[in-house]
Amino acid sequence: MILISTVGIFINIKKDEAIKMAEKLIDYLKKNEIDYLVESRSADCLNEKEKKANFKELREKVDFVALFGGDGTLLRAARHFAGSDIPLLGINIGSLGFMTVIEVEAVEKAIDLILKNEFEIENRMMITAEVYRDNCEVYNGFGLNDVVINRGANFNLIGVELFINNQFVSSFKGDGLIVSTPTGSTAYSLSAGGPIIHPGLEVLVITPISPHNLYIRPLVIGGNDEVLADLEVAGSNMKISIDGRCGFDLRNGDQVKIKKAPHDVTLVKFPERNFYRILREKMRIGMI
Amino acid sequence: MILISTVGIFINIKKDEAIKMAEKLIDYLKKNEIDYLVESRSADCLNEKEKKANFKELREKVDFVALFGGDGTLLRAARHFAGSDIPLLGINIGSLGFMTVIEVEAVEKAIDLILKNEFEIENRMMITAEVYRDNCEVYNGFGLNDVVINRGANFNLIGVELFINNQFVSSFKGDGLIVSTPTGSTAYSLSAGGPIIHPGLEVLVITPISPHNLYIRPLVIGGNDEVLADLEVAGSNMKISIDGRCGFDLRNGDQVKIKKAPHDVTLVKFPERNFYRILREKMRIGMI
Amino acid sequence: MILISTVGIFINIKKDEAIKMAEKLIDYLKKNEIDYLVESRSADCLNEKEKKANFKELREKVDFVALFGGDGTLLRAARHFAGSDIPLLGINIGSLGFMTVIEVEAVEKAIDLILKNEFEIENRMMITAEVYRDNCEVYNGFGLNDVVINRGANFNLIGVELFINNQFVSSFKGDGLIVSTPTGSTAYSLSAGGPIIHPGLEVLVITPISPHNLYIRPLVIGGNDEVLADLEVAGSNMKISIDGRCGFDLRNGDQVKIKKAPHDVTLVKFPERNFYRILREKMRIGMI
Amino acid sequence: MILISTVGIFINIKKDEAIKMAEKLIDYLKKNEIDYLVESRSADCLNEKEKKANFKELREKVDFVALFGGDGTLLRAARHFAGSDIPLLGINIGSLGFMTVIEVEAVEKAIDLILKNEFEIENRMMITAEVYRDNCEVYNGFGLNDVVINRGANFNLIGVELFINNQFVSSFKGDGLIVSTPTGSTAYSLSAGGPIIHPGLEVLVITPISPHNLYIRPLVIGGNDEVLADLEVAGSNMKISIDGRCGFDLRNGDQVKIKKAPHDVTLVKFPERNFYRILREKMRIGMI
């Protein structure tokens, strides 16, 4: 059982609605005499200088984190709280989120349930990538959704030699390659033709982006399998990105190793907001 | 360690090459004084009346089974040896097989390795389906590849209400539905747009067949999840089939429960014939 | 300019709303002293015995036809009025139609515009199929949407050798084949992965159904090109159907010739109900 | 009838085989006393200073052009000879080409046939794009294959509002958009899920690249229809490219008009190298 003594707060500062909702939560916490800390930039926005804390401090001191934003906000938080066991509660501001499970109307009720310990958690696997150049690691990073290699503004195709657990799988040419966690399977991978994967599974999906080889298909492998992509490309501008951010420039001959990250992220889960219901609502509007 | 004292033999009797290869194996076994039993119909073909045994006897008496045929032959054998722990060795006659791992040239060498116990085995999950009509079970069956519900010669679409673990997922109309094991993911499911799944995983994939709802996508779920399809169809001719055989007529209002079968099948595995190599060879000829 | 002296009426007799709307139209026509004739079965439903006419009489005597139903009703009418130049006005009852361009609310206004000759027409190409067995024609038919060859309740794949204008294109195995007009491109062909084609074009699209050959793709050819499919199938139950009706049993070795029909069908077109708007509305609900 | 008095020669100077073949052709022309001119850079490579001519001179003086290279070489030549009626003969060096119709072995025979006027020609439609920024044209270009708008190295999605002949079609988000001629339908558009279109048709195909809206599908429109894409994108790096070259940087708010180019390109066509045969050979190796 997790005893909640300090609540962490992190918001998407670009969304007025997020600011407004976070202020309401702070009022509620004050009224109920529950301590809280606010992430630095969020604190500036909320005029909560005394409660300001950076991610490192939050990780040490809070018992759960309330996030106000969308899936993007949760992707950011996931990197900071990976491996901490601190449950993240995503409060959905704006468009429907896969990971942000609570709509704003239900925030206070949700906080009550969390304070009473009447909630479940779920662990989501994360993904990590390392780039090797001339046998030296030149980049590494990790994320919750996906690792994407794409040709960027380069109009030359990328050639990929794909290995799994050091076994050669296939070579193909195309715009690039997505390796996704189950959580990320409903993001870019789905747009590129990959399957939907229940977020509780421990698997990875490799989805080619616009492959010129017509027989190439998305491939689902085990959560402990290791993907190696040997990259060949004429010209420049090929990039690797994780969760849609921090592109690192790749070069001809680079090797990218992708596998399950050593740490999970922990999410608060409410039974009435199950994955299939969110999926159905997303699909009803035809937009992932 | 499995001590081999009796070899079972089962062949696709329509293939002359299978008969010829089985005869060579029998010569080899005789020469090496290894006992064997031959499946009834195969025995008739091979003139091995004294060694004739039905599947029940084979299950009780043999230590491993040599199959001469293609993936279809192995699908048949899988049903008879499911849950027995008896390893099946598929010897590939004709076109390249995913499950039949040994080419005819390598048979004697393979048998030697098996007799010396220098081989690995792998368990493959199987799948089971039950059909309920007015709350009574009217059909059940199991297989290694997939359960397919399709509209047959009926030109009316099938309406499916899909539930997983009793949670409503989605309703859609189309030609039907495939629920496949990882082993079956490279069969019909792939043709209908499903992903390739490594055969060692414990998952199921649900692949719609020509859905009219454009946002429906293949869905990968856990190996212990239970699929329920509530079927609605005007007109008749809708059928359920398992591993492409034994169609059972479905009716409007039928409920189909599909889940992992209680028993696995055991296959002999040789390291040099790994899944990705077979996949690559299959794709090279563009044909699954 | 078309002078309207007699209106034809044809309804989907299974839809109460269609009956009700047709009655309102008849009142309106009587009030405005415009003559009309009613298709036989529709006349029985509407108690219009004196105005009863079969399709042949309608073709001879009416100047335009008001259809009450959905796309299915228009598909039926299209076959009866093909080549007649009689414009068909589809009045949409129930779910949104691609071809039924007028919603019930707008019927009287539409009829007024038609009577005043303030409307446009558009011709839609139709498609025809002939089946040859041992060089004799054993079946022919035509339609507005598509010709579909599928394996029916047969669990054996169909093998197709495809020729266009007597040039060999490709052979493949799968569930079957759709050859569609532009009008039919948003029906079954779209579900099977075919492109959307503007209905004003003079082309055909060949869409394979769940092909086992992974490199096979939908193919768009000229409106005057002739498709020949040589069929090979083990077992029985393969069928050909046109516009989703009247399945004819095909056999191993049958040859199917598919091409543009000699006659078009003529539809009433209102500028505010253009194809892209209907498409967008259909897609908004994710259902074709 | 075209009387050939002067042959133009253009080669891919990076391919030794192209140089060797062109030298053989020149020997042959000399022996047969047929005049020729060589494109400037090709002439440098071939040591043909006296026969050196730029594209403008070639356009004025040659009766047909022999190209040694692949589809890329023909794409380049197409821009220079568009609208000239000068037939281009593509001689295939290296991998199989869709547009380069003659294999090297058959060059002399082909030249003979051309000189004897025993060949057919085919016109291929070309495509043009104009970019408007604040109502001013800031870029235009044309090509034979396709116009591609993509997000480049930008990890923000592109938002597209799509209009055809000023009618709103749909808005969607994704990696970008391909508008392709029939000739280009077997290039990038096919990789992104578009249909194959017979190169003789006068249509355009609009293929979205990894759209997030799951109901978006490739759309085939008339050859005289005009596509307008209103672009919205956060961040930078979005580009437009034609035939895979000369990327121009696009900005948020840019409007791109795409339509059939005013001029065609003329290709030499030999009956035994028809489109379906090339397609089949390409597909046999699974690579477009």
Side-chain angles (χ1 to χ4, degrees):
Chain A
M1 192 171 127
I2 304 163
L3 286 173
I4 307 292
S5 63
T6 308
V7 174
I9 295 172
F10 174 47
I11 68 172
N12 179 340
I13 60 172
K14 288 182 195 154
K15 295 189 176 177
D16 290 346
E17 184 67 14
I19 296 171
K20 215 153 62 182
M21 289 310 304
E23 285 169 348
K24 280 185 72 175
L25 173 62
I26 288 170
D27 287 348
Y28 183 82
L29 295 174
K30 282 177 179 164
K31 207 166 62 191
N32 290 276
E33 298 182 346
I34 300 155
D35 204 7
Y36 63 95
L37 285 173
V38 186
E39 179 270 341
S40 304
R41 293 180 67 186
S42 307
D44 292 343
C45 260
L46 292 165
N47 274 318
E48 290 281 345
K49 285 173 198 168
E50 292 175 15
K51 296 296 186 181
K52 193 168 171 170
N54 60 28
F55 279 112
K56 192 160 167 282
E57 291 165 325
L58 289 172
R59 244 184 111 107
E60 284 161 8
K61 294 180 183 161
V62 304
D63 301 302
F64 95 98
V65 180
L67 302 164
F68 295 86
D71 283 349
T73 310
L74 199 139
L75 288 177
R76 276 197 64 200
R79 288 185 310 117
H80 291 292
F81 295 98
S84 70
D85 291 335
I86 300 170
L88 308 182
L89 172 70
I91 294 129
N92 197 40
I93 306 290
S95 61
L96 183 59
F98 262 106
M99 288 174 290
T100 49
V101 292
I102 289 297
E103 308 298 314
V104 287
E105 307 80 50
V107 175
E108 290 186 9
K109 200 180 138 214
I111 300 290
D112 271 354
L113 290 171
I114 289 169
L115 296 176
K116 281 192 267 178
N117 252 302
E118 289 174 6
F119 68 103
E120 286 174 72
I121 58 164
E122 57 177 333
N123 288 322
R124 296 278 180 100
M125 68 179 277
M126 298 183 76
I127 192 168
T128 180
E130 297 160 359
V131 179
Y132 292 86
R133 187 171 295 162
D134 305 326
N135 295 313
C136 293
E137 189 182 304
V138 291
Y139 169 82
N140 70 59
F142 74 107
L144 177 54
N145 263 359
D146 48 33
V147 175
V148 176
I149 295 164
N150 79 8
R151 59 175 176 157
N154 184 7
F155 293 112
N156 293 308
L157 296 179
I158 295 178
V160 179
E161 299 230 315
L162 184 70
F163 297 80
I164 295 172
N165 300 338
N166 296 315
Q167 291 180 331
F168 177 49
V169 176
S170 190
S171 62
F172 67 92
K173 287 180 184 244
D175 283 1
L177 183 74
I178 304 159
V179 183
S180 168
T181 63
T183 298
S185 72
T186 49
Y188 191 19
S189 173
L190 187 60
S191 296
I196 295 166
I197 298 178
H198 190 280
L201 300 184
E202 286 266 321
V203 300
L204 292 170
V205 58
I206 304 170
T207 306
I209 310 173
S210 300
H212 276 230
N213 307 58
L214 298 178
Y215 48 75
I216 294 285
R217 290 289 184 280
L219 173 63
V220 180
I221 60 174
N224 292 310
D225 289 338
E226 185 176 303
V227 178
L228 175 67
D230 264 19
L231 302 175
E232 187 196 346
V233 66
S236 56
N237 272 97
M238 176 171 52
K239 287 190 187 262
I240 185 171
S241 66
I242 301 183
D243 291 356
R245 50 192 299 289
C246 44
F248 174 82
D249 288 326
L250 295 170
R251 293 199 199 144
N252 188 18
D254 281 354
Q255 291 195 310
V256 185
K257 279 190 193 161
I258 302 166
K259 60 184 175 189
K260 191 172 104 171
H263 298 302
D264 290 346
V265 69
T266 304
L267 304 184
V268 176
K269 187 182 170 182
F270 290 96
E272 74 276 15
R273 288 283 299 160
N274 74 64
F275 173 69
Y276 297 119
R277 196 177 139 202
I278 301 169
L279 185 64
R280 195 166 62 248
E281 287 175 15
K282 283 265 190 186
M283 286 185 158
R284 192 182 295 156
I285 54 170
M287 182 84 186
I288 280 299
Chain B
M1 193 171 127
I2 304 163
L3 286 174
I4 307 292
S5 63
T6 308
V7 174
I9 295 171
F10 175 46
I11 68 172
N12 179 340
I13 59 174
K14 288 182 196 156
K15 296 189 176 177
D16 289 347
E17 184 68 15
I19 297 170
K20 214 153 61 181
M21 289 310 303
E23 284 169 348
K24 281 185 72 175
L25 173 62
I26 289 170
D27 286 348
Y28 183 82
L29 294 174
K30 282 178 178 165
K31 207 167 61 191
N32 289 276
E33 297 183 347
I34 300 154
D35 205 6
Y36 63 95
L37 286 172
V38 186
E39 178 271 340
S40 305
R41 295 179 66 186
S42 308
D44 293 344
C45 261
L46 291 164
N47 274 317
E48 289 282 344
K49 285 175 198 166
E50 292 176 14
K51 296 296 185 182
K52 193 168 172 170
N54 60 28
F55 281 110
K56 191 158 167 284
E57 292 165 324
L58 289 172
R59 245 184 112 107
E60 284 162 7
K61 294 180 183 161
V62 304
D63 302 302
F64 95 99
V65 181
L67 302 164
F68 295 84
D71 284 348
T73 310
L74 199 140
L75 288 177
R76 276 197 65 200
R79 288 185 309 117
H80 290 293
F81 295 98
S84 71
D85 291 334
I86 300 170
L88 308 181
L89 173 69
I91 294 130
N92 198 40
I93 306 291
S95 60
L96 183 59
F98 263 107
M99 288 174 289
T100 50
V101 293
I102 290 297
E103 308 298 314
V104 286
E105 307 80 51
V107 175
E108 290 188 10
K109 200 181 139 214
I111 299 289
D112 271 353
L113 290 170
I114 289 169
L115 296 177
K116 281 192 266 176
N117 252 303
E118 291 174 5
F119 68 104
E120 288 175 70
I121 58 165
E122 56 177 333
N123 288 323
R124 296 278 180 100
M125 68 179 277
M126 297 184 76
I127 192 168
T128 180
E130 297 160 359
V131 178
Y132 292 86
R133 186 171 295 161
D134 306 325
N135 295 314
C136 293
E137 189 182 304
V138 292
Y139 169 83
N140 69 60
F142 74 106
L144 177 55
N145 263 358
D146 49 33
V147 176
V148 176
I149 295 164
N150 79 9
R151 59 175 175 157
N154 184 8
F155 293 111
N156 293 308
L157 296 179
I158 295 178
V160 179
E161 300 229 315
L162 185 70
F163 297 80
I164 295 172
N165 300 337
N166 295 316
Q167 291 180 331
F168 176 49
V169 176
S170 190
S171 62
F172 68 92
K173 287 180 184 244
D175 282 1
L177 184 73
I178 304 159
V179 184
S180 168
T181 64
T183 298
S185 73
T186 48
Y188 191 19
S189 173
L190 188 59
S191 297
I196 296 166
I197 298 178
H198 190 280
L201 299 184
E202 285 268 320
V203 299
L204 292 170
V205 57
I206 304 171
T207 306
I209 310 172
S210 301
H212 275 229
N213 307 57
L214 297 178
Y215 48 76
I216 293 285
R217 290 289 184 281
L219 173 63
V220 179
I221 60 173
N224 292 311
D225 289 338
E226 185 177 303
V227 178
L228 175 67
D230 264 19
L231 302 174
E232 187 195 347
V233 66
S236 57
N237 272 97
M238 177 171 51
K239 287 192 187 258
I240 185 171
S241 66
I242 300 183
D243 291 357
R245 50 192 299 288
C246 43
F248 174 82
D249 289 326
L250 295 170
R251 294 197 200 147
N252 188 19
D254 281 355
Q255 291 195 310
V256 185
K257 279 189 192 159
I258 303 166
K259 60 184 176 189
K260 191 172 104 172
H263 299 302
D264 290 347
V265 70
T266 304
L267 303 185
V268 176
K269 186 182 171 182
F270 290 96
E272 74 276 15
R273 289 284 297 162
N274 73 66
F275 173 69
Y276 297 120
R277 196 178 138 200
I278 301 169
L279 184 64
R280 196 166 62 247
E281 287 175 15
K282 283 265 190 187
M283 286 186 158
R284 193 181 294 155
I285 55 169
M287 182 84 186
I288 281 299
Chain C
M1 192 170 128
I2 305 163
L3 285 174
I4 307 293
S5 62
T6 308
V7 175
I9 295 171
F10 174 47
I11 68 171
N12 180 341
I13 59 173
K14 288 182 195 154
K15 295 189 177 178
D16 290 347
E17 184 68 13
I19 297 170
K20 214 153 60 182
M21 289 310 304
E23 284 168 349
K24 280 186 72 175
L25 173 62
I26 290 170
D27 286 349
Y28 183 82
L29 295 174
K30 282 178 179 164
K31 207 167 59 191
N32 289 276
E33 298 184 346
I34 300 156
D35 205 8
Y36 63 94
L37 286 172
V38 186
E39 179 271 341
S40 305
R41 294 180 65 187
S42 307
D44 293 343
C45 260
L46 292 165
N47 273 318
E48 290 280 345
K49 285 174 199 167
E50 293 176 14
K51 297 295 187 182
K52 193 169 172 170
N54 61 28
F55 280 111
K56 192 159 166 283
E57 291 163 326
L58 289 172
R59 244 182 112 108
E60 284 160 9
K61 294 180 184 162
V62 304
D63 301 301
F64 94 99
V65 181
L67 302 164
F68 295 86
D71 283 349
T73 310
L74 199 141
L75 288 177
R76 277 198 63 201
R79 288 185 311 117
H80 291 294
F81 295 97
S84 70
D85 291 334
I86 300 171
L88 308 182
L89 173 70
I91 294 131
N92 197 40
I93 306 290
S95 59
L96 182 61
F98 263 106
M99 289 174 289
T100 49
V101 292
I102 290 296
E103 308 298 314
V104 287
E105 307 81 49
V107 175
E108 290 187 9
K109 199 179 140 218
I111 300 289
D112 270 354
L113 290 171
I114 290 169
L115 297 176
K116 281 191 266 176
N117 252 302
E118 291 174 4
F119 68 104
E120 287 175 70
I121 59 164
E122 57 177 332
N123 289 321
R124 296 277 181 100
M125 68 178 277
M126 298 185 75
I127 192 168
T128 179
E130 297 160 358
V131 179
Y132 292 86
R133 187 171 294 160
D134 305 326
N135 295 314
C136 295
E137 189 182 303
V138 292
Y139 169 82
N140 70 61
F142 73 105
L144 177 54
N145 263 359
D146 48 33
V147 175
V148 176
I149 295 164
N150 80 6
R151 59 175 176 157
N154 184 8
F155 293 112
N156 293 309
L157 296 179
I158 295 177
V160 179
E161 300 229 315
L162 185 69
F163 297 80
I164 295 172
N165 300 339
N166 295 316
Q167 291 180 331
F168 176 51
V169 176
S170 191
S171 62
F172 67 93
K173 286 180 185 245
D175 283 2
L177 184 73
I178 304 159
V179 184
S180 169
T181 63
T183 297
S185 73
T186 48
Y188 190 19
S189 173
L190 187 60
S191 296
I196 296 167
I197 299 178
H198 189 280
L201 300 185
E202 286 267 321
V203 300
L204 293 169
V205 57
I206 304 171
T207 307
I209 309 172
S210 301
H212 275 229
N213 308 58
L214 298 178
Y215 48 74
I216 293 286
R217 290 289 183 280
L219 174 62
V220 179
I221 60 173
N224 292 310
D225 289 338
E226 185 177 301
V227 178
L228 174 67
D230 264 18
L231 302 175
E232 188 195 345
V233 66
S236 56
N237 272 97
M238 176 171 51
K239 287 191 188 261
I240 185 172
S241 67
I242 300 183
D243 291 356
R245 50 192 299 287
C246 42
F248 174 83
D249 289 326
L250 295 170
R251 294 199 199 143
N252 189 18
D254 280 356
Q255 291 195 310
V256 184
K257 278 189 193 160
I258 303 166
K259 60 183 175 189
K260 191 172 104 173
H263 299 302
D264 290 347
V265 69
T266 304
L267 303 185
V268 177
K269 185 182 171 182
F270 290 96
E272 74 275 16
R273 288 285 297 162
N274 73 65
F275 173 69
Y276 297 120
R277 197 177 138 201
I278 301 169
L279 184 65
R280 195 167 60 248
E281 287 174 16
K282 283 265 190 185
M283 286 184 158
R284 193 181 294 155
I285 55 169
M287 182 85 185
I288 282 297
Chain D
M1 192 172 130
I2 305 165
L3 285 173
I4 307 292
S5 62
T6 308
V7 174
I9 295 171
F10 173 48
I11 68 171
N12 179 340
I13 60 173
K14 289 182 194 154
K15 295 190 176 177
D16 289 347
E17 184 67 15
I19 297 170
K20 214 155 60 182
M21 289 311 303
E23 284 169 348
K24 281 185 72 175
L25 173 61
I26 290 170
D27 286 349
Y28 183 81
L29 295 174
K30 282 177 179 164
K31 207 167 59 190
N32 289 275
E33 299 184 343
I34 299 155
D35 204 8
Y36 63 94
L37 285 172
V38 186
E39 179 271 340
S40 305
R41 295 180 66 187
S42 308
D44 293 344
C45 260
L46 292 164
N47 274 317
E48 290 280 344
K49 285 173 199 168
E50 292 175 15
K51 297 296 186 180
K52 193 168 173 170
N54 62 26
F55 279 112
K56 191 158 165 283
E57 291 164 324
L58 289 172
R59 244 183 112 108
E60 283 161 9
K61 296 180 183 161
V62 304
D63 302 302
F64 94 99
V65 181
L67 303 164
F68 295 86
D71 283 349
T73 311
L74 199 140
L75 288 177
R76 276 198 65 200
R79 289 185 309 117
H80 291 294
F81 295 97
S84 71
D85 291 335
I86 300 171
L88 309 181
L89 173 70
I91 293 130
N92 197 40
I93 306 291
S95 60
L96 181 61
F98 262 107
M99 289 174 289
T100 49
V101 293
I102 289 297
E103 308 298 314
V104 287
E105 307 80 50
V107 175
E108 291 187 9
K109 200 181 139 214
I111 300 290
D112 270 352
L113 290 171
I114 290 169
L115 296 176
K116 281 191 267 177
N117 253 302
E118 290 174 5
F119 68 104
E120 288 175 71
I121 59 165
E122 57 177 334
N123 288 322
R124 296 277 180 101
M125 68 179 278
M126 298 184 75
I127 192 168
T128 181
E130 298 160 359
V131 178
Y132 292 86
R133 187 171 295 161
D134 305 326
N135 294 314
C136 294
E137 189 182 303
V138 291
Y139 169 82
N140 69 61
F142 74 106
L144 178 54
N145 263 359
D146 48 33
V147 175
V148 176
I149 295 164
N150 81 7
R151 59 176 175 156
N154 184 7
F155 293 112
N156 294 307
L157 297 179
I158 296 177
V160 179
E161 300 228 315
L162 185 69
F163 297 80
I164 295 172
N165 300 338
N166 296 315
Q167 291 180 332
F168 176 49
V169 176
S170 190
S171 62
F172 68 92
K173 286 178 185 245
D175 282 1
L177 184 73
I178 303 159
V179 184
S180 168
T181 63
T183 297
S185 73
T186 49
Y188 191 18
S189 173
L190 187 59
S191 296
I196 296 166
I197 299 178
H198 191 281
L201 299 185
E202 286 267 320
V203 300
L204 292 170
V205 58
I206 304 170
T207 307
I209 309 172
S210 300
H212 275 229
N213 307 59
L214 298 178
Y215 48 75
I216 293 285
R217 289 290 183 280
L219 173 62
V220 180
I221 60 173
N224 292 309
D225 289 338
E226 186 178 302
V227 178
L228 174 67
D230 265 18
L231 302 175
E232 188 196 345
V233 66
S236 57
N237 273 98
M238 176 170 52
K239 287 192 188 259
I240 185 172
S241 67
I242 300 183
D243 290 357
R245 51 191 299 287
C246 44
F248 174 83
D249 289 327
L250 294 170
R251 293 198 199 144
N252 188 19
D254 281 355
Q255 291 195 311
V256 184
K257 278 189 192 159
I258 302 166
K259 60 185 175 189
K260 192 171 104 173
H263 299 302
D264 290 348
V265 69
T266 305
L267 304 184
V268 176
K269 186 181 171 183
F270 290 96
E272 73 276 15
R273 288 286 297 163
N274 73 65
F275 173 69
Y276 297 120
R277 198 178 138 199
I278 301 169
L279 184 65
R280 195 166 62 248
E281 287 175 16
K282 283 264 190 186
M283 286 185 157
R284 193 181 296 155
I285 55 169
M287 182 84 185
I288 281 298

